[in-house]
Amino acid sequence: MKKNTATIWCTIFIGILLLIPASYMILKSHINTTNYENRELAKWPTLETTNWYRFPEAIDDFVSDNFPYKNQLVLMNSLANRDVFKDNPSANTIMGKEGFIFYTGETGNSLAQYKGTLKFSDEELKKIVDNLNTSSKYLEDRNCKFILFIAPNKERMYSEYMPESIKVYDDKCSTDQVVEYLNTNTSIKTIWAYDNLKRYKESNPEKPIYYHLDTHWNNLGAYIGAKVLCDEITANIPDLDFEQTNNSSYDLANYSGLRLVLEGKDTDYEPIGLADDYEIELDDINGSFIYHNTGKDDRRLMICRDSFTIGMRRYIGNVFNESYMPHRNEFETSMVDEFKPDVFVYEVCERDIDKLLNFRLE
């Protein structure tokens, strides 16, 4: 009798295992299977693409990335963490007030900077100064102006929506250290966009300038950032009006696994009357942006960038005849000599301010 019962339970278990992929193949075209991760999902390994000793690991990657009902299972887990256990849906995200989601940072930098616990040592600050002075001299020898542009974390811009359980220990963090140290000890032109963004936010509280569900500024915030940069180098950026839309980016909704229930629930803006007659040679968000224009500012602008330039790129492309914006992950010093910029901008979000420890043109 016990043997028959065990057989029945084994049969039921195997049937369920078979039913999951079988039902998924039938329902696949009717459910959401969108890849919300900022990477290509793993493919089934072959001897042409995978070393034999990595086969078990590669198969595990494939199963994890392509498991049936993956989006739905991730959503159920995230909703349970958020609504049942009152916890953050993932290790990378923090559920804030009034629908805001915040980012801890891949290394915890965003959260540590918000708390004021992330600081540079004196030696590190001196190294940053040495790197930037060397880079500035390298560009000066090539008749090029150097500018450091720092974009604020959303945790700083909208700190009032951070959970009260997360305590701030010091109002100053590594970003404030760098800005103060550079302004005191160097002639490096540093654009810290926080004050301009804060003034706009306080004057227009009904218009968010960062996404609720993403780490980045929205199109309106990106315009303010681009205007700060252009005003600093006396480039003629047009005054624009904006209309509200519901189009938005969702990296934090993706990280938290809540994209399926948050789709279309963010605020964005589209510029009215922005010319789009520039030529786009390359527009790769993970690589480079290369824009050409005519009859605009004839200085050649290069921006060694991170993802915050994505929102600024069409404003920049509208201002300069030649603009080249390579991502820092693919940037090489040789690009400077090839492009011959008149203005070089190193743009960095403050959560990645420690990248200055390794950035050096020479």
Side-chain angles (χ1 to χ4, degrees):
M1 184 66 180
K2 289 183 178 179
K3 184 177 181 181
N4 290 338
T5 302
T7 301
I8 291 171
W9 280 112
C10 286
T11 302
I12 292 173
F13 179 72
I14 293 172
I16 292 173
L17 291 180
L18 295 175
L19 180 62
I20 292 173
S23 65
Y24 181 70
M25 295 303 296
I26 296 172
L27 299 174
K28 187 176 181 180
S29 60
H30 302 288
I31 62 176
N32 190 305
T33 58
T34 303
N35 175 20
Y36 292 121
E37 299 188 44
N38 188 25
R39 62 181 180 89
E40 185 178 353
L41 298 182
K43 293 182 172 59
W44 184 260
T46 66
L47 289 175
E48 288 76 23
T49 61
T50 308
N51 293 324
W52 64 269
Y53 58 83
R54 279 205 69 250
F55 250 70
E57 180 184 350
I59 291 173
D60 183 63
D61 291 341
F62 173 81
V63 172
S64 297
D65 279 358
N66 298 277
F67 194 82
Y69 303 107
K70 176 184 175 182
N71 285 350
Q72 290 70 30
L73 292 171
V74 169
L75 174 63
M76 290 171 59
N77 179 71
S78 297
L79 288 173
N81 284 334
R82 186 190 69 174
D83 299 333
V84 178
F85 301 108
K86 307 301 180 184
D87 195 7
N88 293 314
S90 79
N92 288 325
T93 56
I94 300 168
M95 299 305 299
K97 304 172 186 176
E98 298 186 25
F100 272 84
I101 305 180
F102 295 98
Y103 186 44
T104 60
E106 293 180 5
T107 58
N109 281 3
S110 292
L111 185 57
Q113 285 175 320
Y114 173 74
K115 292 179 177 180
T117 57
L118 186 64
K119 301 289 179 67
F120 285 122
S121 65
D122 288 341
E123 290 73 19
E124 288 174 323
L125 289 171
K126 291 175 182 176
K127 183 177 181 181
I128 289 173
V129 166
D130 184 52
N131 285 344
L132 296 183
N133 278 334
T134 299
S135 299
S136 181
K137 181 64 168 57
Y138 179 90
L139 293 165
E140 182 182 334
D141 290 344
R142 288 155 179 78
N143 299 312
C144 179
K145 180 181 179 65
F146 175 64
I147 294 175
L148 173 64
F149 183 101
I150 306 173
N153 289 338
K154 186 172 82 170
E155 293 72 33
R156 183 192 291 266
M157 289 304 309
Y158 285 94
S159 58
E160 66 270 28
Y161 296 106
M162 285 287 283
E164 294 179 4
S165 59
I166 299 178
K167 303 302 181 184
V168 175
Y169 299 98
D170 192 336
D171 291 333
K172 290 187 175 182
C173 71
S174 53
T175 308
D176 303 288
Q177 283 184 293
V178 167
V179 173
E180 181 178 336
Y181 199 85
L182 290 176
N183 288 339
T184 302
N185 297 284
T186 77
S187 59
I188 299 294
K189 184 58 192 177
T190 303
I191 299 177
W192 172 220
Y194 174 68
D195 289 337
N196 301 79
L197 290 160
K198 183 181 179 182
R199 280 195 295 270
Y200 186 91
K201 174 192 166 190
E202 292 175 345
S203 301
N204 303 271
E206 77 286 357
K207 294 181 179 180
I209 52 179
Y210 278 60
Y211 295 118
H212 286 64
L213 309 175
D214 194 285
T215 57
H216 301 90
W217 49 28
N218 57 25
N219 284 324
L220 179 54
Y223 170 73
I224 298 169
K227 195 171 190 313
V228 174
L229 173 60
C230 290
D231 287 347
E232 179 59 40
I233 57 178
T234 62
N236 185 25
I237 186 169
D239 292 326
L240 296 173
D241 293 321
F242 287 78
E243 59 183 358
Q244 184 174 327
T245 70
N246 289 323
N247 298 321
S248 126
S249 183
Y250 289 93
D251 64 359
L252 293 178
N254 293 340
Y255 284 139
S256 65
L258 297 172
R259 176 68 177 262
L260 294 183
V261 296
L262 295 175
E263 185 77 45
K265 295 185 178 180
D266 210 337
T267 301
D268 204 354
Y269 295 89
E270 278 297 308
I272 300 172
L274 179 67
D276 59 357
D277 54 354
Y278 41 72
E279 175 192 345
I280 301 176
E281 178 181 334
L282 188 61
D283 196 64
D284 181 359
I285 62 172
N286 296 313
S288 293
F289 307 130
I290 302 177
Y291 283 39
H292 307 291
N293 214 325
T294 57
K296 301 298 178 68
D297 196 309
D298 61 5
R299 287 174 293 177
R300 301 170 70 84
L301 175 69
M302 173 175 274
I303 302 179
C304 180
R305 66 173 186 88
D306 62 19
S307 54
F308 272 73
T309 297
I310 294 173
M312 295 196 294
R313 71 190 190 279
R314 56 178 169 165
Y315 307 120
I316 298 298
N318 189 260
V319 170
F320 293 90
N321 285 343
E322 299 292 335
S323 48
Y324 183 19
M325 298 166 263
H327 194 283
R328 65 168 175 253
N329 289 343
E330 70 167 23
F331 174 79
E332 296 179 358
T333 303
S334 60
M335 293 177 175
V336 173
D337 292 321
E338 292 168 4
F339 183 68
K340 296 180 173 56
D342 299 294
V343 180
F344 180 98
V345 179
Y346 186 83
E347 179 271 309
V348 62
C349 175
E350 66 168 312
R351 65 172 174 262
D352 288 325
I353 198 76
D354 56 358
K355 301 294 184 185
L356 295 177
L357 290 166
N358 298 309
F359 172 73
R360 187 181 180 97
L361 300 177
E362 61 180 348

